[in-house]
Short mmCIF file of all heavy atoms in Angstrom, two decimals:
data_model
loop_
_atom_site.label_atom_id
_atom_site.label_comp_id
_atom_site.label_asym_id
_atom_site.label_seq_id
_atom_site.Cartn_x
_atom_site.Cartn_y
_atom_site.Cartn_z
N MET A 1 11.52 51.40 39.96
CA MET A 1 12.71 50.94 39.44
C MET A 1 13.02 49.61 40.24
O MET A 1 12.85 49.47 41.37
CB MET A 1 13.78 51.92 39.55
CG MET A 1 15.04 51.56 38.85
SD MET A 1 16.01 53.02 38.67
CE MET A 1 17.53 52.27 38.14
N SER A 2 13.62 48.70 39.53
CA SER A 2 13.98 47.41 40.12
C SER A 2 15.28 47.43 40.90
O SER A 2 16.21 48.20 40.64
CB SER A 2 14.13 46.37 38.99
OG SER A 2 14.57 45.16 39.45
N ASP A 3 15.23 46.64 42.02
CA ASP A 3 16.39 46.62 42.85
C ASP A 3 17.46 45.58 42.34
O ASP A 3 18.59 45.54 42.77
CB ASP A 3 16.06 46.27 44.28
CG ASP A 3 15.23 47.37 44.99
OD1 ASP A 3 15.44 48.50 44.63
OD2 ASP A 3 14.38 47.03 45.84
N ASN A 4 17.06 44.76 41.43
CA ASN A 4 17.92 43.76 40.89
C ASN A 4 18.73 44.31 39.71
O ASN A 4 18.15 44.85 38.79
CB ASN A 4 17.11 42.52 40.39
CG ASN A 4 16.33 41.96 41.60
OD1 ASN A 4 16.74 41.93 42.60
ND2 ASN A 4 15.17 41.32 41.15
N VAL A 5 20.00 44.03 39.80
CA VAL A 5 20.94 44.48 38.70
C VAL A 5 21.61 43.32 38.15
O VAL A 5 22.12 42.50 38.78
CB VAL A 5 21.94 45.51 39.30
CG1 VAL A 5 22.91 45.92 38.26
CG2 VAL A 5 21.27 46.69 39.90
N TYR A 6 21.48 43.18 36.81
CA TYR A 6 22.12 41.99 36.18
C TYR A 6 23.26 42.46 35.29
O TYR A 6 23.05 43.31 34.39
CB TYR A 6 21.16 41.25 35.34
CG TYR A 6 19.90 40.67 36.17
CD1 TYR A 6 18.75 41.41 36.26
CD2 TYR A 6 20.11 39.50 36.84
CE1 TYR A 6 17.74 40.85 36.95
CE2 TYR A 6 19.07 39.05 37.57
CZ TYR A 6 17.86 39.70 37.63
OH TYR A 6 16.87 39.21 38.41
N PHE A 7 24.41 41.95 35.44
CA PHE A 7 25.54 42.37 34.69
C PHE A 7 25.85 41.45 33.49
O PHE A 7 26.34 41.79 32.52
CB PHE A 7 26.81 42.38 35.55
CG PHE A 7 26.79 43.46 36.57
CD1 PHE A 7 26.59 43.19 37.95
CD2 PHE A 7 26.90 44.84 36.26
CE1 PHE A 7 26.51 44.10 38.87
CE2 PHE A 7 26.85 45.76 37.23
CZ PHE A 7 26.64 45.46 38.54
N GLU A 8 25.34 40.17 33.64
CA GLU A 8 25.60 39.23 32.60
C GLU A 8 24.57 39.30 31.44
O GLU A 8 24.83 38.86 30.37
CB GLU A 8 25.55 37.78 33.10
CG GLU A 8 26.65 37.49 34.08
CD GLU A 8 28.06 37.50 33.45
OE1 GLU A 8 28.09 36.97 32.28
OE2 GLU A 8 28.98 38.03 34.01
N GLY A 9 23.41 39.79 31.70
CA GLY A 9 22.42 39.93 30.74
C GLY A 9 20.99 39.76 31.38
O GLY A 9 20.86 39.28 32.52
N ASP A 10 19.97 40.28 30.78
CA ASP A 10 18.66 40.32 31.33
C ASP A 10 18.15 38.91 31.30
O ASP A 10 18.05 38.27 30.20
CB ASP A 10 17.86 41.31 30.53
CG ASP A 10 16.45 41.48 31.18
OD1 ASP A 10 16.30 40.96 32.30
OD2 ASP A 10 15.55 41.99 30.41
N PRO A 11 17.60 38.37 32.35
CA PRO A 11 17.11 36.99 32.39
C PRO A 11 15.93 36.85 31.44
O PRO A 11 15.69 35.81 30.83
CB PRO A 11 16.62 36.73 33.83
CG PRO A 11 17.23 37.79 34.61
CD PRO A 11 17.58 38.89 33.68
N GLY A 12 15.09 37.88 31.34
CA GLY A 12 13.93 37.78 30.36
C GLY A 12 14.39 37.59 28.99
O GLY A 12 13.89 36.91 28.22
N THR A 13 15.42 38.41 28.58
CA THR A 13 15.94 38.36 27.20
C THR A 13 16.62 36.96 27.02
O THR A 13 16.57 36.44 25.88
CB THR A 13 16.93 39.50 27.03
OG1 THR A 13 16.29 40.74 27.31
CG2 THR A 13 17.49 39.52 25.62
N ASP A 14 17.36 36.46 27.96
CA ASP A 14 18.02 35.22 27.90
C ASP A 14 17.02 34.05 27.66
O ASP A 14 17.24 33.19 26.88
CB ASP A 14 18.94 34.93 29.06
CG ASP A 14 20.17 35.81 28.99
OD1 ASP A 14 20.46 36.35 28.02
OD2 ASP A 14 20.85 35.84 30.09
N SER A 15 15.91 34.16 28.43
CA SER A 15 14.92 33.06 28.30
C SER A 15 14.26 33.07 27.01
O SER A 15 14.02 32.00 26.32
CB SER A 15 13.94 33.11 29.47
OG SER A 15 13.18 34.25 29.35
N THR A 16 14.08 34.27 26.47
CA THR A 16 13.40 34.43 25.14
C THR A 16 14.39 33.95 24.05
O THR A 16 13.98 33.23 23.12
CB THR A 16 13.18 35.89 24.87
OG1 THR A 16 12.22 36.42 25.91
CG2 THR A 16 12.44 36.08 23.52
N ARG A 17 15.66 34.27 24.15
CA ARG A 17 16.67 33.78 23.26
C ARG A 17 16.70 32.28 23.29
O ARG A 17 16.81 31.65 22.27
CB ARG A 17 18.08 34.44 23.58
CG ARG A 17 19.17 33.98 22.67
CD ARG A 17 20.49 34.50 23.11
NE ARG A 17 20.87 34.24 24.46
CZ ARG A 17 21.26 33.03 24.95
NH1 ARG A 17 21.42 32.08 24.11
NH2 ARG A 17 21.55 32.91 26.22
N ARG A 18 16.78 31.65 24.44
CA ARG A 18 16.84 30.23 24.56
C ARG A 18 15.62 29.56 23.95
O ARG A 18 15.70 28.58 23.23
CB ARG A 18 17.01 29.84 26.06
CG ARG A 18 18.44 29.97 26.58
CD ARG A 18 18.63 29.35 27.94
NE ARG A 18 17.65 29.80 28.89
CZ ARG A 18 17.85 30.90 29.75
NH1 ARG A 18 19.00 31.49 29.66
NH2 ARG A 18 16.98 31.25 30.57
N HIS A 19 14.47 30.16 24.19
CA HIS A 19 13.20 29.69 23.60
C HIS A 19 13.31 29.69 22.05
O HIS A 19 12.96 28.71 21.43
CB HIS A 19 12.07 30.44 24.17
CG HIS A 19 10.76 30.14 23.37
ND1 HIS A 19 10.16 28.87 23.57
CD2 HIS A 19 10.04 30.80 22.45
CE1 HIS A 19 9.05 28.83 22.80
NE2 HIS A 19 8.96 30.00 22.15
N MET A 20 13.75 30.78 21.49
CA MET A 20 13.80 30.94 20.08
C MET A 20 14.81 29.89 19.53
O MET A 20 14.63 29.38 18.46
CB MET A 20 14.20 32.30 19.63
CG MET A 20 13.09 33.33 19.92
SD MET A 20 11.48 32.83 19.15
CE MET A 20 11.96 32.90 17.37
N GLU A 21 15.93 29.73 20.20
CA GLU A 21 16.95 28.71 19.73
C GLU A 21 16.31 27.35 19.67
O GLU A 21 16.53 26.60 18.78
CB GLU A 21 18.16 28.71 20.66
CG GLU A 21 19.01 29.89 20.52
CD GLU A 21 20.21 30.02 21.46
OE1 GLU A 21 20.17 29.17 22.43
OE2 GLU A 21 20.99 30.96 21.34
N ARG A 22 15.50 27.00 20.67
CA ARG A 22 14.83 25.72 20.74
C ARG A 22 13.90 25.53 19.57
O ARG A 22 13.76 24.50 18.95
CB ARG A 22 14.11 25.42 22.02
CG ARG A 22 15.03 24.98 23.20
CD ARG A 22 14.18 24.48 24.32
NE ARG A 22 13.20 25.38 24.84
CZ ARG A 22 13.25 26.33 25.70
NH1 ARG A 22 14.47 26.55 26.24
NH2 ARG A 22 12.26 27.05 26.07
N VAL A 23 13.10 26.62 19.29
CA VAL A 23 12.04 26.59 18.28
C VAL A 23 12.66 26.47 16.94
O VAL A 23 12.26 25.67 16.04
CB VAL A 23 11.19 27.83 18.38
CG1 VAL A 23 10.33 28.01 17.11
CG2 VAL A 23 10.31 27.83 19.63
N LEU A 24 13.77 27.18 16.71
CA LEU A 24 14.41 27.15 15.41
C LEU A 24 15.19 25.88 15.18
O LEU A 24 15.35 25.44 14.02
CB LEU A 24 15.34 28.38 15.23
CG LEU A 24 14.64 29.72 15.19
CD1 LEU A 24 15.66 30.88 15.16
CD2 LEU A 24 13.71 29.76 13.96
N LYS A 25 15.68 25.16 16.21
CA LYS A 25 16.38 23.91 16.08
C LYS A 25 15.48 22.67 15.72
O LYS A 25 15.84 21.78 15.20
CB LYS A 25 17.33 23.69 17.29
CG LYS A 25 18.49 24.54 17.33
CD LYS A 25 19.29 24.13 18.57
CE LYS A 25 20.47 25.11 18.71
NZ LYS A 25 21.27 24.79 19.91
N GLU A 26 14.23 22.85 16.19
CA GLU A 26 13.30 21.69 16.05
C GLU A 26 12.95 21.53 14.58
O GLU A 26 12.78 22.47 13.80
CB GLU A 26 12.07 21.93 16.83
CG GLU A 26 12.15 21.91 18.30
CD GLU A 26 10.86 22.14 19.06
OE1 GLU A 26 9.89 22.23 18.38
OE2 GLU A 26 10.93 22.17 20.30
N ALA A 27 12.85 20.22 14.18
CA ALA A 27 12.41 19.99 12.79
C ALA A 27 10.87 20.30 12.70
O ALA A 27 10.15 20.11 13.61
CB ALA A 27 12.57 18.48 12.45
N GLU A 28 10.52 20.82 11.55
CA GLU A 28 9.09 21.16 11.38
C GLU A 28 8.25 19.91 11.27
O GLU A 28 8.49 18.98 10.56
CB GLU A 28 8.98 21.95 10.05
CG GLU A 28 7.56 22.55 9.85
CD GLU A 28 7.48 23.37 8.60
OE1 GLU A 28 8.43 23.88 8.17
OE2 GLU A 28 6.28 23.51 8.19
N GLN A 29 7.16 19.90 12.03
CA GLN A 29 6.32 18.73 12.16
C GLN A 29 5.28 18.86 11.01
O GLN A 29 4.85 19.94 10.70
CB GLN A 29 5.58 18.77 13.49
CG GLN A 29 6.48 18.63 14.69
CD GLN A 29 7.18 17.23 14.68
OE1 GLN A 29 6.65 16.24 14.33
NE2 GLN A 29 8.35 17.28 15.10
N PRO A 30 4.94 17.71 10.39
CA PRO A 30 3.96 17.84 9.33
C PRO A 30 2.55 18.17 9.93
O PRO A 30 2.24 17.69 11.05
CB PRO A 30 3.92 16.35 8.76
CG PRO A 30 4.46 15.51 9.84
CD PRO A 30 5.39 16.40 10.69
N ARG A 31 1.83 19.05 9.32
CA ARG A 31 0.55 19.44 9.75
C ARG A 31 -0.50 18.53 9.24
O ARG A 31 -0.67 18.37 8.03
CB ARG A 31 0.30 20.88 9.27
CG ARG A 31 1.30 21.89 9.88
CD ARG A 31 0.90 23.26 9.53
NE ARG A 31 1.89 24.19 10.05
CZ ARG A 31 1.77 25.51 10.14
NH1 ARG A 31 0.76 26.03 9.52
NH2 ARG A 31 2.65 26.22 10.58
N ARG A 32 -1.24 17.97 10.16
CA ARG A 32 -2.27 16.96 9.79
C ARG A 32 -3.66 17.60 9.94
O ARG A 32 -4.55 16.98 9.43
CB ARG A 32 -2.11 15.78 10.72
CG ARG A 32 -0.85 15.01 10.50
CD ARG A 32 -0.79 13.78 11.25
NE ARG A 32 0.54 13.07 10.88
CZ ARG A 32 1.32 12.57 11.78
NH1 ARG A 32 0.87 12.47 13.06
NH2 ARG A 32 2.41 12.01 11.44
N TRP A 33 -3.85 18.67 10.70
CA TRP A 33 -5.13 19.23 10.83
C TRP A 33 -5.81 19.74 9.60
O TRP A 33 -7.04 19.66 9.44
CB TRP A 33 -5.20 20.25 11.94
CG TRP A 33 -4.39 21.52 11.61
CD1 TRP A 33 -3.08 21.76 11.99
CD2 TRP A 33 -4.87 22.68 10.94
NE1 TRP A 33 -2.73 23.04 11.56
CE2 TRP A 33 -3.74 23.57 10.89
CE3 TRP A 33 -5.99 23.03 10.35
CZ2 TRP A 33 -3.86 24.81 10.26
CZ3 TRP A 33 -6.14 24.28 9.73
CH2 TRP A 33 -5.09 25.16 9.73
N PRO A 34 -5.08 20.20 8.55
CA PRO A 34 -5.80 20.57 7.33
C PRO A 34 -6.48 19.44 6.65
O PRO A 34 -7.60 19.64 6.05
CB PRO A 34 -4.72 21.22 6.42
CG PRO A 34 -3.69 21.66 7.38
CD PRO A 34 -3.70 20.67 8.48
N TRP A 35 -5.90 18.24 6.68
CA TRP A 35 -6.61 17.04 6.15
C TRP A 35 -7.87 16.69 6.89
O TRP A 35 -8.85 16.42 6.31
CB TRP A 35 -5.64 15.90 6.11
CG TRP A 35 -4.56 16.08 5.11
CD1 TRP A 35 -3.28 16.32 5.32
CD2 TRP A 35 -4.67 15.90 3.66
NE1 TRP A 35 -2.55 16.42 4.19
CE2 TRP A 35 -3.41 16.17 3.16
CE3 TRP A 35 -5.76 15.62 2.82
CZ2 TRP A 35 -3.14 16.20 1.76
CZ3 TRP A 35 -5.53 15.64 1.49
CH2 TRP A 35 -4.26 15.89 0.94
N MET A 36 -7.76 16.84 8.22
CA MET A 36 -8.97 16.48 9.02
C MET A 36 -10.01 17.56 8.72
O MET A 36 -11.22 17.28 8.72
CB MET A 36 -8.64 16.48 10.50
CG MET A 36 -9.75 16.10 11.37
SD MET A 36 -9.32 15.90 13.09
CE MET A 36 -8.25 14.55 12.98
N LEU A 37 -9.58 18.79 8.63
CA LEU A 37 -10.59 19.88 8.39
C LEU A 37 -11.24 19.73 7.01
O LEU A 37 -12.46 19.92 6.84
CB LEU A 37 -9.88 21.24 8.49
CG LEU A 37 -10.78 22.44 8.39
CD1 LEU A 37 -11.80 22.51 9.48
CD2 LEU A 37 -9.95 23.69 8.41
N ALA A 38 -10.41 19.33 6.08
CA ALA A 38 -11.00 19.04 4.68
C ALA A 38 -11.96 17.88 4.67
O ALA A 38 -13.02 17.89 4.05
CB ALA A 38 -9.90 18.82 3.77
N ALA A 39 -11.69 16.84 5.45
CA ALA A 39 -12.55 15.67 5.55
C ALA A 39 -13.84 16.00 6.23
O ALA A 39 -14.95 15.61 5.76
CB ALA A 39 -11.84 14.58 6.31
N LEU A 40 -13.81 16.81 7.30
CA LEU A 40 -15.00 17.21 7.99
C LEU A 40 -15.83 18.12 7.12
O LEU A 40 -17.09 18.00 7.05
CB LEU A 40 -14.72 17.93 9.27
CG LEU A 40 -14.18 16.98 10.37
CD1 LEU A 40 -13.70 17.77 11.64
CD2 LEU A 40 -15.26 16.03 10.87
N GLY A 41 -15.19 19.07 6.41
CA GLY A 41 -15.89 19.98 5.47
C GLY A 41 -16.57 19.24 4.43
O GLY A 41 -17.77 19.51 4.11
N SER A 42 -15.85 18.32 3.75
CA SER A 42 -16.49 17.56 2.64
C SER A 42 -17.73 16.72 3.18
O SER A 42 -18.65 16.50 2.43
CB SER A 42 -15.42 16.74 1.89
OG SER A 42 -14.80 15.78 2.76
N GLY A 43 -17.44 16.11 4.28
CA GLY A 43 -18.55 15.38 4.93
C GLY A 43 -19.77 16.19 5.20
O GLY A 43 -21.01 15.81 4.94
N GLY A 44 -19.56 17.40 5.64
CA GLY A 44 -20.68 18.36 5.84
C GLY A 44 -21.43 18.80 4.69
O GLY A 44 -22.60 18.84 4.57
N VAL A 45 -20.62 19.04 3.62
CA VAL A 45 -21.20 19.34 2.28
C VAL A 45 -21.99 18.22 1.79
O VAL A 45 -23.08 18.42 1.22
CB VAL A 45 -20.11 19.78 1.29
CG1 VAL A 45 -20.62 19.90 -0.11
CG2 VAL A 45 -19.50 21.13 1.73
N TRP A 46 -21.51 17.03 1.82
CA TRP A 46 -22.25 15.83 1.36
C TRP A 46 -23.54 15.65 2.14
O TRP A 46 -24.59 15.37 1.49
CB TRP A 46 -21.37 14.61 1.57
CG TRP A 46 -22.04 13.35 1.03
CD1 TRP A 46 -22.15 12.85 -0.21
CD2 TRP A 46 -22.78 12.40 1.86
NE1 TRP A 46 -22.89 11.70 -0.27
CE2 TRP A 46 -23.32 11.49 1.04
CE3 TRP A 46 -23.06 12.31 3.24
CZ2 TRP A 46 -24.09 10.33 1.50
CZ3 TRP A 46 -23.80 11.27 3.71
CH2 TRP A 46 -24.29 10.29 2.88
N LEU A 47 -23.44 15.84 3.42
CA LEU A 47 -24.72 15.76 4.24
C LEU A 47 -25.72 16.81 3.82
O LEU A 47 -26.93 16.46 3.68
CB LEU A 47 -24.36 15.94 5.73
CG LEU A 47 -25.57 15.81 6.77
CD1 LEU A 47 -26.19 14.47 6.69
CD2 LEU A 47 -25.05 16.17 8.10
N LEU A 48 -25.29 18.02 3.65
CA LEU A 48 -26.32 19.05 3.27
C LEU A 48 -26.85 18.76 1.92
O LEU A 48 -28.06 19.00 1.59
CB LEU A 48 -25.60 20.43 3.27
CG LEU A 48 -25.20 20.96 4.66
CD1 LEU A 48 -24.38 22.23 4.49
CD2 LEU A 48 -26.45 21.25 5.50
N TRP A 49 -26.07 18.21 0.97
CA TRP A 49 -26.53 17.84 -0.38
C TRP A 49 -27.58 16.84 -0.22
O TRP A 49 -28.63 16.86 -0.88
CB TRP A 49 -25.33 17.38 -1.18
CG TRP A 49 -25.71 16.92 -2.56
CD1 TRP A 49 -26.28 17.66 -3.48
CD2 TRP A 49 -25.43 15.67 -3.15
NE1 TRP A 49 -26.42 16.90 -4.66
CE2 TRP A 49 -25.89 15.62 -4.43
CE3 TRP A 49 -24.86 14.50 -2.56
CZ2 TRP A 49 -25.80 14.52 -5.22
CZ3 TRP A 49 -24.82 13.35 -3.39
CH2 TRP A 49 -25.26 13.40 -4.73
N GLN A 50 -27.30 15.80 0.55
CA GLN A 50 -28.36 14.72 0.79
C GLN A 50 -29.60 15.23 1.38
O GLN A 50 -30.73 14.80 0.93
CB GLN A 50 -27.72 13.54 1.61
CG GLN A 50 -26.62 12.86 1.02
CD GLN A 50 -27.10 11.94 -0.29
OE1 GLN A 50 -28.15 11.53 -0.30
NE2 GLN A 50 -26.23 12.09 -1.27
N LEU A 51 -29.50 16.11 2.41
CA LEU A 51 -30.72 16.69 2.99
C LEU A 51 -31.45 17.51 2.04
O LEU A 51 -32.68 17.46 2.02
CB LEU A 51 -30.38 17.51 4.16
CG LEU A 51 -29.82 16.65 5.38
CD1 LEU A 51 -29.29 17.64 6.53
CD2 LEU A 51 -30.91 15.77 5.89
N GLY A 52 -30.84 18.24 1.21
CA GLY A 52 -31.44 19.05 0.15
C GLY A 52 -32.18 18.20 -0.88
O GLY A 52 -33.23 18.56 -1.33
N ARG A 53 -31.47 17.10 -1.27
CA ARG A 53 -32.17 16.23 -2.21
C ARG A 53 -33.49 15.58 -1.67
O ARG A 53 -34.44 15.52 -2.40
CB ARG A 53 -31.20 15.08 -2.68
CG ARG A 53 -30.12 15.57 -3.61
CD ARG A 53 -29.15 14.44 -3.99
NE ARG A 53 -29.90 13.37 -4.69
CZ ARG A 53 -29.47 12.18 -4.92
NH1 ARG A 53 -28.21 11.86 -4.52
NH2 ARG A 53 -30.24 11.38 -5.57
N GLY A 54 -33.34 15.26 -0.34
CA GLY A 54 -34.55 14.67 0.35
C GLY A 54 -35.69 15.69 0.38
O GLY A 54 -36.85 15.33 0.16
N ALA A 55 -35.30 16.88 0.71
CA ALA A 55 -36.36 17.90 0.80
C ALA A 55 -36.98 18.19 -0.60
O ALA A 55 -38.21 18.42 -0.73
CB ALA A 55 -35.77 19.25 1.44
N ALA A 56 -36.19 18.22 -1.63
CA ALA A 56 -36.68 18.44 -3.01
C ALA A 56 -37.56 17.32 -3.34
O ALA A 56 -38.62 17.47 -3.98
CB ALA A 56 -35.51 18.62 -4.01
N ARG A 57 -37.29 16.10 -3.06
CA ARG A 57 -38.11 14.90 -3.39
C ARG A 57 -39.38 15.04 -2.70
O ARG A 57 -40.44 14.75 -3.22
CB ARG A 57 -37.37 13.61 -3.05
CG ARG A 57 -36.33 13.27 -4.00
CD ARG A 57 -35.63 12.00 -3.62
NE ARG A 57 -34.50 11.63 -4.48
CZ ARG A 57 -33.46 11.02 -4.06
NH1 ARG A 57 -33.39 10.53 -2.79
NH2 ARG A 57 -32.50 10.83 -4.89
N ALA A 58 -39.34 15.44 -1.41
CA ALA A 58 -40.66 15.52 -0.65
C ALA A 58 -41.49 16.64 -1.17
O ALA A 58 -42.69 16.50 -1.23
CB ALA A 58 -40.24 15.80 0.82
N ARG A 59 -40.90 17.69 -1.58
CA ARG A 59 -41.64 18.83 -2.20
C ARG A 59 -42.29 18.41 -3.48
O ARG A 59 -43.42 18.78 -3.79
CB ARG A 59 -40.72 20.02 -2.32
CG ARG A 59 -41.48 21.28 -2.78
CD ARG A 59 -40.52 22.51 -2.96
NE ARG A 59 -39.49 22.17 -3.92
CZ ARG A 59 -38.16 22.31 -3.60
NH1 ARG A 59 -37.81 22.57 -2.39
NH2 ARG A 59 -37.22 22.02 -4.57
N ASP A 60 -41.46 17.73 -4.30
CA ASP A 60 -42.06 17.20 -5.64
C ASP A 60 -43.14 16.31 -5.40
O ASP A 60 -44.19 16.28 -6.10
CB ASP A 60 -41.05 16.56 -6.48
CG ASP A 60 -39.91 17.63 -6.89
OD1 ASP A 60 -40.21 18.76 -6.89
OD2 ASP A 60 -38.82 17.21 -7.36
N ALA A 61 -43.03 15.35 -4.42
CA ALA A 61 -44.11 14.41 -4.12
C ALA A 61 -45.36 15.11 -3.72
O ALA A 61 -46.50 14.71 -4.04
CB ALA A 61 -43.65 13.42 -3.07
N SER A 62 -45.22 16.10 -2.76
CA SER A 62 -46.40 16.83 -2.33
C SER A 62 -47.09 17.70 -3.44
O SER A 62 -48.23 17.71 -3.50
CB SER A 62 -46.04 17.72 -1.13
OG SER A 62 -45.23 18.74 -1.59
N ASN A 63 -46.21 18.15 -4.33
CA ASN A 63 -46.81 18.88 -5.53
C ASN A 63 -47.55 17.98 -6.43
O ASN A 63 -48.65 18.29 -6.92
CB ASN A 63 -45.70 19.61 -6.27
CG ASN A 63 -45.19 20.80 -5.48
OD1 ASN A 63 -45.85 21.31 -4.64
ND2 ASN A 63 -44.06 21.39 -5.97
N ALA A 64 -46.98 16.78 -6.61
CA ALA A 64 -47.73 15.81 -7.41
C ALA A 64 -48.96 15.35 -6.85
O ALA A 64 -50.01 15.12 -7.60
CB ALA A 64 -46.74 14.61 -7.69
N GLU A 65 -49.01 15.12 -5.51
CA GLU A 65 -50.29 14.73 -4.87
C GLU A 65 -51.30 15.82 -4.98
O GLU A 65 -52.49 15.55 -5.22
CB GLU A 65 -49.96 14.42 -3.38
CG GLU A 65 -49.20 13.12 -3.11
CD GLU A 65 -48.85 12.90 -1.74
OE1 GLU A 65 -49.31 13.69 -0.95
OE2 GLU A 65 -48.09 11.91 -1.43
N SER A 66 -50.90 17.09 -4.80
CA SER A 66 -51.90 18.19 -4.82
C SER A 66 -52.41 18.32 -6.16
O SER A 66 -53.57 18.65 -6.39
CB SER A 66 -51.23 19.48 -4.34
OG SER A 66 -50.18 19.91 -5.16
N LYS A 67 -51.63 18.14 -7.21
CA LYS A 67 -52.07 18.18 -8.59
C LYS A 67 -53.04 17.08 -8.97
O LYS A 67 -54.08 17.29 -9.59
CB LYS A 67 -50.96 18.17 -9.62
CG LYS A 67 -50.15 19.45 -9.57
CD LYS A 67 -48.98 19.48 -10.63
CE LYS A 67 -48.22 20.73 -10.54
NZ LYS A 67 -47.15 20.76 -11.52
N SER A 68 -52.76 15.91 -8.42
CA SER A 68 -53.62 14.75 -8.65
C SER A 68 -54.98 14.97 -7.88
O SER A 68 -56.08 14.50 -8.37
CB SER A 68 -53.05 13.44 -8.33
OG SER A 68 -52.79 13.34 -6.96
N ALA A 69 -54.91 15.59 -6.76
CA ALA A 69 -56.17 15.87 -6.00
C ALA A 69 -57.05 16.91 -6.72
O ALA A 69 -58.21 16.88 -6.68
CB ALA A 69 -55.87 16.29 -4.62
N ASP A 70 -56.33 17.84 -7.41
CA ASP A 70 -57.09 18.87 -8.13
C ASP A 70 -57.84 18.30 -9.37
O ASP A 70 -58.83 18.76 -9.74
CB ASP A 70 -56.12 20.02 -8.54
CG ASP A 70 -55.60 20.87 -7.37
OD1 ASP A 70 -56.24 20.75 -6.30
OD2 ASP A 70 -54.55 21.52 -7.52
N VAL A 71 -57.17 17.30 -10.00
CA VAL A 71 -57.68 16.72 -11.19
C VAL A 71 -58.92 15.91 -10.91
O VAL A 71 -59.96 15.93 -11.70
CB VAL A 71 -56.59 15.84 -11.88
CG1 VAL A 71 -57.22 15.11 -13.06
CG2 VAL A 71 -55.49 16.71 -12.37
N GLU A 72 -58.96 15.23 -9.78
CA GLU A 72 -60.13 14.40 -9.45
C GLU A 72 -61.31 15.11 -9.05
O GLU A 72 -61.96 15.94 -9.06
CB GLU A 72 -59.78 13.44 -8.27
CG GLU A 72 -58.74 12.46 -8.63
CD GLU A 72 -58.35 11.62 -7.47
OE1 GLU A 72 -58.88 11.79 -6.37
OE2 GLU A 72 -57.44 10.85 -7.67
#
């Protein structure tokens, strides 16, 4: 049991109350991270799309070369 006795109120409760008052009084800040996350995600999708197109072109070129080698 604690030796400290508080008659005015518990300091832990008071600090929590003061913190919540500060949080509720502050104006809500605009969130910018969703835009950054969307930009990074769309850039990643574009990069994967480009890499996939390059791999498909390389595969098609190698298939065309193997078919022309079979014909000769």
Side-chain angles (χ1 to χ4, degrees):
M1 188 161 167
S2 175
D3 293 332
N4 301 328
V5 178
Y6 298 100
F7 294 105
E8 294 295 321
D10 186 14
T13 305
D14 287 345
S15 66
T16 302
R17 179 185 51 80
R18 285 191 301 270
H19 171 71
M20 290 305 297
E21 287 174 355
R22 281 194 308 271
V23 168
L24 293 174
K25 285 181 183 178
E26 290 179 6
E28 186 175 339
Q29 299 293 325
R31 296 185 180 189
R32 295 186 179 139
W33 64 267
W35 288 105
M36 184 176 294
L37 187 62
L40 287 173
S42 61
V45 168
W46 179 83
L47 178 66
L48 290 173
W49 178 60
Q50 291 296 324
L51 291 173
R53 287 181 61 195
R57 286 181 185 148
R59 185 179 59 237
D60 290 344
S62 67
N63 286 344
E65 288 176 5
S66 66
K67 287 182 181 180
S68 66
D70 290 342
V71 172
E72 293 175 2

